[in-house]
Amino acid sequence: MAVMKFGGTSVGNARAMQQAIDLVVREKLNGAPLVVLSACSGITNKLVRLAEASGRSALDEALLLAGEVRQHHIDLTAELIQAPELQAELEAKVEEYVAGLEMLARGVDIVGELTERSKDTFCSFGELLSTTIFAAAMKEQGHDAEWLDVRRVMITDDNHGFARPLGDICRENAGAIISPLLDAGTIVITQGYIGAALNGRTTTLGRGGSDYSAALLGAWLNANAIQIWTDVDGVMTCDPRLVPEARSIRIMTFSEAAELAYLGAKVLHPDTIAPAVEKNIPVWVLNTWHPDAKGTLITDDTERLSGMSYGGLVKSIAVKKGQCIINVRSNRMLGRYGFMAELFGAFSRYGVSIEMISSSEVSVSVTVDDTCFSEELLQDLRVLGQVDIEHRVATVSVVGDNLRMSKGVAGRIFSSLRDVNLRMISQGASEINVGFVVEENDVERAVNTLHHEFFSGEETAGIFEKPAGTS
């Protein structure tokens, strides 16, 4: 049994939704799959704006956005559903959902405060609408499919906005509610991203949580594969917007994929990897529009990795823009203990996550998101030493198996970048990542140079491939 997760662009309109239905039907030949859907592309952002408008008592704006959500799904229903009776029934269901959305907006407007709990409820409507329409279309086309409210299964803590599942309860629910349907040959269609606390209140798993939902459900159901269907040909060697010659990666390890996710790759949510690793379930990243393309397989299966992955092989280049470097210089560091604890304690107090770090005897340089730190944090840091800030920089990370322990790789990286001004180099604990910082203006040149260095030869043919649809 496979879990098939479709992202927002894969269910964003009637044509995309029909393509996804066709893929589900094809997978049914191997056994009934569990289908996990995101909201239609753009809808979650619209729901967040709707919630925020309600919270600041801009009710007219909120209701206008609710009307846009209604119209999108009414249009989707009209295009996808053929039978007039079913179309009318589905439109009534859409109206019911949107009426609930509008009632919530009015309630928040009256109270004058948007809580995280209310925001979770706002955001849940996207997945509920997309799955309701998808399931109705599948049934109309004659397929044995059932819509399931995932909140019956995905029971979480009450940390609204970033809820974590209660594993034992969820595993039991999945076995009792989902397994019998799949065993009977019924395709189950459910929502990603959302869940419910023990008190029944709707929760969300955080943005990108649909991937996490799919992986968790796959682990609880002992799936033999987790398929992540997107609008790209798997994980790429680099962002194709930066490098038009970027290739798709045929196979990579769980560690490489997790590292890429944390370093800024957009395909996978970082938490997706953990449940799959726990059960050693292969994760496929596939292209909805080119379903016969090979995509990317993420696995730790040594047999499958044999000849396709080896120490020193660069797999991908990740970029994270919008960063800044904070340099702290202090003679207090020299031969003293406790300085680092004070330094990182300051970042922790203000909830600022450090991306990259480099240190010497009397200085520490870190990169953080350029918008996340405050003057109060800087004042705390100035107590420790002299503080300088460099804005408009980007982190660039070269990822591959056992890179730092492989002779010649670091030399190739930095030799190829001899004409690029490196603002910082980070030699972290990871053996699969070599990172550095450049000015944002140098990102495109640096990344294209690196990509040419490691991916232009023919020696890795079959490991990296041109994306489907390119000449």
Side-chain angles (χ1 to χ4, degrees), residues 27 45 64 74 77 129 149 151 153 213 232 246 267 269 301 321 330 351 363 379-380 385 390 398 401 414 445 451:
E27 180 63 35
N45 287 337
L64 183 64
I74 291 292
T77 297
L129 283 160
D149 189 335
R151 292 172 295 186
V153 175
S213 299
V232 294
V267 174
H269 186 274
D301 187 323
K321 293 184 178 181
S330 174
S363 68
Q379 290 294 343
D380 276 13
E390 299 179 48
V398 180
D401 189 35
F414 295 115
R445 180 158 54 120
H451 199 274

Side-chain angles (χ1 to χ4, degrees), residues 330-344 361 384:
S330 174
N331 290 330
R332 290 174 54 192
M333 291 179 64
L334 194 60
R336 297 275 299 275
Y337 61 84
F339 181 86
M340 287 296 197
E342 292 181 58
L343 178 71
F344 293 122
E361 288 86 348
L384 301 176

Side-chain angles (χ1 to χ4, degrees), residues 315-352:
K315 291 286 184 67
S316 189
I317 304 163
V319 175
K320 190 175 286 189
K321 293 184 178 181
Q323 302 289 296
C324 75
I325 301 174
I326 299 179
N327 302 301
V328 181
R329 297 179 179 86
S330 174
N331 290 330
R332 290 174 54 192
M333 291 179 64
L334 194 60
R336 297 275 299 275
Y337 61 84
F339 181 86
M340 287 296 197
E342 292 181 58
L343 178 71
F344 293 122
F347 285 100
S348 176
R349 283 195 298 277
Y350 292 95
V352 176

Side-chain angles (χ1 to χ4, degrees), residues 38-195:
S38 297
C40 298
S41 54
I43 294 298
T44 299
N45 287 337
K46 197 160 286 190
L47 291 169
V48 170
R49 287 165 51 206
L50 194 162
E52 290 171 347
S54 304
R56 64 174 188 273
S57 294
L59 185 59
D60 288 345
E61 180 184 342
L63 294 178
L64 183 64
L65 288 164
E68 292 176 9
V69 172
R70 172 192 287 109
Q71 195 59 52
H72 176 89
H73 293 92
I74 291 292
D75 291 345
L76 182 58
T77 297
E79 194 171 348
L80 198 60
I81 303 298
Q82 303 302 313
E85 286 185 7
L86 180 58
Q87 191 177 117
E89 180 184 328
L90 198 52
E91 286 178 357
K93 188 65 178 174
V94 170
E95 290 290 350
E96 183 182 329
Y97 278 130
V98 177
L101 187 57
E102 291 172 336
M103 184 183 301
L104 180 61
R106 289 189 173 91
V108 170
D109 172 64
I110 291 169
V111 174
E113 179 186 6
L114 175 66
T115 64
E116 286 298 322
R117 188 174 76 180
S118 296
K119 195 172 182 179
D120 275 358
T121 306
F122 275 110
C123 291
S124 68
F125 283 95
E127 278 72 16
L128 294 171
L129 283 160
S130 66
T131 52
T132 297
I133 295 171
F134 191 95
M138 286 212 73
K139 288 181 178 179
E140 185 188 40
Q141 294 173 30
H143 306 295
D144 183 6
E146 182 162 329
W147 182 88
L148 173 71
D149 189 335
V150 79
R151 292 172 295 186
R152 295 174 56 200
V153 175
M154 187 72 70
I155 307 303
T156 72
D157 59 25
D158 60 359
N159 183 20
H160 290 276
F162 195 73
R164 298 295 87 176
L166 305 178
D168 291 342
I169 298 173
C170 294
R171 190 176 295 107
E172 183 178 342
N173 289 347
I177 298 170
I178 300 177
S179 289
L181 293 169
L182 296 174
D183 291 344
T186 300
I187 298 165
V188 178
I189 297 148
T190 196
Q191 306 80 37
Y193 177 53
I194 68 175

Side-chain angles (χ1 to χ4, degrees), residues 15-28:
R15 177 171 169 261
M17 200 169 272
Q18 185 57 56
Q19 176 74 359
I21 289 171
D22 293 342
L23 292 171
V24 171
V25 172
R26 186 173 77 169
E27 180 63 35
K28 175 70 159 50

Side-chain angles (χ1 to χ4, degrees), residues 59 160 181 223 285 311 366 391 421:
L59 185 59
H160 290 276
L181 293 169
V285 184
V366 301
H391 296 282
N421 186 19

